[in-house]
Amino acid sequence: SSQLTTLLPEGTNLQDAAQGFKNLGQFVAAVHVSKNLGIPFEDLKAKMTGPDSVKLGKAIHDMKPEVNAKAEAKKANRQAKQDIKDSRSG
């Protein structure tokens, strides 16, 4: 969790930030995309958890159409899996 805190804007409460995501992996992947692509986390979260929620890849495409959304989503999911694995074994 301390690793995630460094990826979010200063003063962000992790519990609040994770609210609304379907699972931990989705939340952690969104945090990575936010950091990797410079997309404000709150904007990404709103796209993924709002009433018309979309998947990570679609949210990336909508917010940064110039990047390869599929590749970025895949990369973030890999990073999230690694973070979760590390936090469980650490």
Side-chain angles (χ1 to χ4, degrees), residues 10-84:
E10 199 168 320
T12 301
N13 177 304
L14 270 184
Q15 298 297 326
D16 292 345
Q19 214 64 5
F21 285 95
K22 288 185 176 78
N23 56 50
L24 180 63
Q26 188 187 54
F27 164 60
V28 177
V31 170
H32 278 289
V33 165
S34 169
K35 187 71 173 174
N36 294 346
L37 299 178
I39 296 172
F41 175 75
E42 287 303 320
D43 295 351
L44 191 59
K45 177 181 176 176
K47 271 226 171 274
M48 293 179 67
T49 63
D52 299 319
S53 64
V54 297
K55 292 188 181 218
L56 183 59
K58 172 88 172 103
I60 295 168
H61 179 72
D62 290 353
M63 300 173 95
K64 287 257 185 178
E66 72 278 9
V67 304
N68 182 334
K70 192 174 179 183
E72 290 296 337
K74 204 172 183 177
K75 174 180 164 185
N77 281 315
R78 258 197 327 269
Q79 290 172 309
K81 277 191 183 107
Q82 189 61 52
D83 285 353
I84 294 166

